[in-house]
Amino acid sequence: MKLQLNGAPVDAQVNTLAELLISEGFGGAKVATAVNGVFVPVGLRADHDLSEGDTIEVLAPMQGG
């Protein structure tokens, strides 16, 4: 399935957001996620089905002052 991940095209054989995160190396990372501009909390990622053409944003928390 063709997706956009952080602005880059990705061709992934996944069904859910959780599967995509694992396949793209974000598996254990503490990140925030959004699909098509809508925030998806950690607890809903395994049940959040992806569709062809979805846009996914993965953001890592930043530290600093």
Side-chain angles (χ1 to χ4, degrees):
M1 150 177 3
K2 294 185 188 311
L3 305 165
Q4 288 284 320
L5 177 61
N6 291 344
V10 173
D11 193 6
Q13 301 304 315
V14 298
N15 294 311
T16 67
L17 179 56
E19 291 173 356
L20 177 67
L21 293 175
I22 291 167
S23 75
E24 294 297 317
F26 294 103
K30 296 206 183 259
V31 295
T33 56
V35 177
N36 299 324
V38 178
F39 174 71
V40 180
V42 174
L44 298 180
R45 292 177 186 165
D47 294 324
H48 191 96
D49 291 327
L50 297 175
S51 299
E52 184 83 21
D54 278 350
T55 299
I56 298 95
E57 293 293 328
V58 179
L59 303 170
M62 298 181 72
Q63 293 181 330

